[in-house]
């Protein structure tokens, strides 16, 4: 069984926790996109782990994890992350592998990334980790892959600081290098969990371009980034929060108004810990955007949704969600491609009764208060996609499944 977990919003939906939760029943976990710009937070027995490149399944001692061909790898950051895991008692040696088709980020890419964004008339708000430069070099066919590290002619193109950097990490990377397509075929009868990065609305093709990431954060990226075909993806799940957040620039129609909704924004940000794992930046917060979520369901053929942070609304008398946009006086219910239209969009909000109860102890859907179930069922009906897993806290056990993702359809 091959299960894909993607972000169904603008990233930061809680994918790391969900991948960690589902990894118990997987034999292998494969990350298929992004680089050290991602931040996946996992809490196990009260201890928090922040992962950036290593797949979230690494916390299970018997699991092997793979960094896919769709990723761009920062060797220095990767080995610092692996050392962090070792310092915390996680033995990773012999369990972390990298696709030989993955590309490498060089240190100078970081400053190039910052300089390029600063020079833009409309800055993207990148993390400055060199991700965009690495993907740009890849598209220009000038990038460096792990497969090239023992190709003398290619390596001769690098000198000075680049050469010294590559010489430092070359042997370590070669030891971890694998033919991922061959591995995926070898493991074809096993449970494999594919982990996305960022979110559907940041995908280079289907996201809010140009305010997107440089990689394929869509569901299809799981195939292209892992060396398999789309027919081999059995179950595609999209993770979303009960509200909306975004990091960096770009349109976000449901963003809270700082003047009239500043207190609400600060409560959601503080209670939901809405600060970037990678950058530490405060995330922009807003009402759940169902127009965008339904679009993500459609463009990624989501089999089901995973709802996180539902407990953030425990104290609210009522909550609101966006069911349409008003653009130039017209009601719009389909997600626009035009950034100009999105920047004009005003959210049309629908109110829902709050549940005024703690959800922390709920371990089944039936245990949720009726107003909480009503909210979930409205989302399902609007998006025409079932919610199969619900998270009501940060710990592994603060999660419950309505439909087992590893079961056959």
């Amino acid at each position: 069984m091959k299960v894909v977990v993607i972000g169904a919003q603008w990233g930061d939906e809680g994918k790391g926790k969900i991948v960690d939760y589902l990894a118990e029943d997987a034999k292998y976990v494969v990350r298929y996109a992004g680089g050290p710009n991602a931040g996946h937070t996992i809490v196990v027995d009260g201890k928090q782990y922040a992962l950036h490149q290593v797949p979230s399944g690494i916390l299970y001692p018997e699991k092997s994890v793979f960094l896919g061909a769709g990723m761009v790898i920062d060797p220095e950051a990767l080995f610092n992350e692996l050392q962090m895991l070792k310092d915390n008692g996680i033995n990773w040696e012999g369990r972390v592998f990298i696709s030989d088709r993955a590309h490498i980020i060089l240190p100078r890419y970081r400053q190039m990334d910052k300089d390029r964004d600063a020079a833009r008339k409309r800055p993207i708000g990148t993390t400055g980790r060199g991700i965009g430069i690495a993907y740009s070099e890849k598209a220009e066919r000038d990038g460096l892959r792990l497969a090239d590290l023992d190709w003398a002619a290619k390596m001769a193109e690098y000198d000075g600081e680049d050469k010294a950097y590559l010489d430092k990490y070359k042997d370590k990377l070669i030891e971890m290098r694998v033919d991922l397509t061959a591995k995926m075929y070898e493991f074809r009868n096993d449970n494999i969990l594919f982990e996305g990065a960022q979110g559907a609305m940041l995908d280079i093709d289907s996201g809010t371009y140009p305010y997107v990431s440089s990689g394929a954060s869509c569901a299809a990226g799981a195939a292209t980034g892992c060396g398999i075909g789309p027919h081999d993806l059995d179950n595609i799940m999209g993770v979303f929060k009960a509200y909306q957040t975004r990091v960096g620039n770009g349109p976000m129609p449901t963003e809270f108004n700082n003047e009239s909704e500043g207190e609400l924004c600060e409560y959601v940000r503080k209670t939901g810990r809405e600060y970037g794992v990678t950058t530490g930046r405060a995330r922009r917060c807003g009402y759940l955007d169902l127009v965008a979520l339904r679009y993500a369901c459609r463009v990624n053929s989501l089999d089901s949704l995973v709802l996180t942070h539902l407990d953030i609304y425990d104290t609210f008398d009522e909550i609101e969600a966006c069911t349409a946009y008003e653009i130039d006086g017209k009601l719009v219910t389909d997600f626009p491609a035009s950034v100009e239209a999105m920047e004009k969009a005003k959210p049309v909000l629908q109110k829902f009764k709050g549940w005024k109860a703690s959800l922390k102890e709920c371990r089944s859907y039936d245990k949720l208060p009726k107003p909480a179930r009503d909210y979930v069922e409205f989302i399902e009906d609007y998006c025409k996609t079932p919610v199969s897993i619900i998270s009501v806290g940060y710990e592994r056990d603060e999660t419950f499944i309505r439909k087992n993702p590893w079961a056959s359809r």
Side-chain angles (χ1 to χ4, degrees):
M1 190 75 173
K2 313 297 185 295
V3 174
V4 181
V5 175
I6 72 165
Q9 295 170 315
W10 278 286
D12 309 307
E13 305 94 345
K15 294 181 298 298
K17 177 198 170 173
I18 299 305
V19 170
D20 170 74
Y21 182 77
L22 295 177
E24 183 176 8
D25 294 317
K27 190 167 183 180
Y28 307 101
V29 180
V30 187
R31 167 91 174 270
Y32 66 81
N37 56 339
H40 294 173
T41 303
I42 303 166
V43 180
V44 181
D45 296 329
K47 191 170 185 177
Q48 180 171 303
Y49 301 86
L51 300 175
H52 301 278
Q53 294 183 91
V54 180
S56 300
I58 192 64
L59 299 183
Y60 290 91
E62 74 279 10
K63 312 293 181 186
S64 292
V65 302
F66 297 82
L67 283 67
M71 289 186 68
V72 287
I73 309 299
D74 181 326
E76 180 181 16
L78 174 63
F79 287 107
N80 285 341
E81 188 173 326
L82 292 171
Q83 185 62 48
M84 176 276 293
L85 289 169
K86 188 172 183 178
D87 292 343
N88 281 278
I90 307 299
N91 181 20
W92 63 267
E93 285 90 345
R95 299 197 295 122
V96 180
F97 304 94
I98 311 173
S99 168
D100 54 9
R101 288 180 165 83
H103 280 246
I104 294 172
I105 300 171
L106 295 173
R108 58 186 168 88
Y109 290 2
R110 299 168 198 156
Q111 191 59 49
M112 291 170 66
D113 200 0
K114 295 173 185 175
D115 292 344
R116 179 176 292 184
D117 203 44
R120 290 185 171 106
K121 292 182 179 179
R122 298 167 68 92
I124 305 300
T126 73
T127 60
R129 296 298 195 274
I131 310 299
I133 302 299
Y135 278 116
S136 177
E137 292 287 288
K138 176 180 178 177
E140 291 281 355
R141 291 150 295 178
D142 292 321
L144 177 67
R145 305 173 304 160
L146 266 71
D148 304 327
L149 289 174
D150 42 16
W151 180 17
K154 179 65 177 178
M155 295 302 291
E157 298 175 10
Y158 299 92
D159 56 19
E161 291 182 0
D162 286 349
K163 184 177 185 302
Y165 181 78
L166 291 169
D167 285 345
K168 181 178 180 180
Y169 294 107
K170 175 181 173 181
D171 291 341
K172 291 181 181 179
L173 291 170
I174 288 175
E175 286 179 8
M176 300 165 72
R177 186 177 66 184
V178 296
D179 180 339
L180 188 56
T181 296
K183 288 294 182 185
M184 291 298 95
Y185 185 77
E186 179 185 345
F187 305 148
R188 63 191 180 279
N189 295 321
D190 294 310
N191 282 352
I192 303 178
L193 185 59
F194 296 111
E195 176 181 8
Q198 288 81 50
M201 307 310 295
L202 292 174
D203 180 73
I204 187 71
D205 289 310
S206 54
T208 49
Y209 187 91
Y211 300 101
V212 293
S213 186
S214 303
S217 51
C218 60
T224 59
C226 297
I228 61 173
H231 279 302
D232 287 328
L233 305 179
D234 299 305
N235 189 353
I236 302 171
M237 310 177 73
V239 185
F240 76 105
K241 284 187 283 208
Y243 50 94
Q244 199 85 25
T245 63
R246 181 167 192 164
V247 172
N249 301 330
M252 183 180 167
T254 64
E255 186 170 9
F256 295 137
N257 184 298
N258 281 332
E259 293 182 6
S260 61
E261 299 168 318
E263 188 176 338
L264 172 60
C265 180
E266 189 56 31
Y267 176 85
V268 170
R269 182 177 289 143
K270 183 178 179 180
T271 309
R273 305 182 195 180
E274 296 300 347
Y275 298 89
V277 178
T278 301
T279 64
R281 288 184 292 183
R283 295 171 185 146
R284 299 158 62 189
C285 300
Y287 301 105
L288 175 61
D289 188 336
L290 289 170
V291 179
L293 183 61
R294 181 169 62 185
Y295 169 74
C297 291
R298 291 173 175 175
V299 79
N300 291 285
S301 298
L302 296 185
D303 293 297
S304 69
L305 289 162
V306 178
L307 172 57
T308 65
H309 290 247
L310 185 60
D311 55 300
I312 299 304
Y313 284 138
D314 282 356
T315 62
F316 283 52
D317 292 317
E318 63 178 21
I319 58 179
E320 296 180 270
C322 172
T323 57
Y325 304 142
E326 183 186 322
I327 303 176
D328 293 330
K330 296 180 180 179
L331 198 67
V332 175
T333 57
D334 287 323
F335 192 80
S338 166
V339 169
E340 182 181 22
M342 287 293 293
E343 288 176 340
K344 293 179 182 178
K346 298 176 182 178
V348 177
L349 300 174
Q350 180 162 330
K351 295 182 187 296
F352 299 86
K353 182 182 177 182
W355 40 91
K356 301 290 286 184
S358 174
L359 304 184
K360 284 285 187 182
E361 304 305 318
C362 293
R363 293 297 179 270
S364 71
Y365 187 69
D366 292 341
K367 296 295 183 182
L368 290 178
K370 187 177 185 302
R373 297 199 307 270
D374 290 343
Y375 185 55
V376 173
E377 287 161 20
F378 183 88
I379 293 168
E380 291 180 312
D381 184 64
Y382 187 95
C383 296
K384 298 296 184 283
T385 308
V387 174
S388 60
I389 297 176
I390 296 176
S391 168
V392 291
Y394 293 96
E395 291 280 357
R396 272 180 185 165
D397 65 351
E398 294 175 329
T399 312
F400 57 85
I401 292 178
R402 298 177 70 196
K403 182 181 178 183
N404 183 2
W406 297 107
S408 299
R409 292 186 189 178

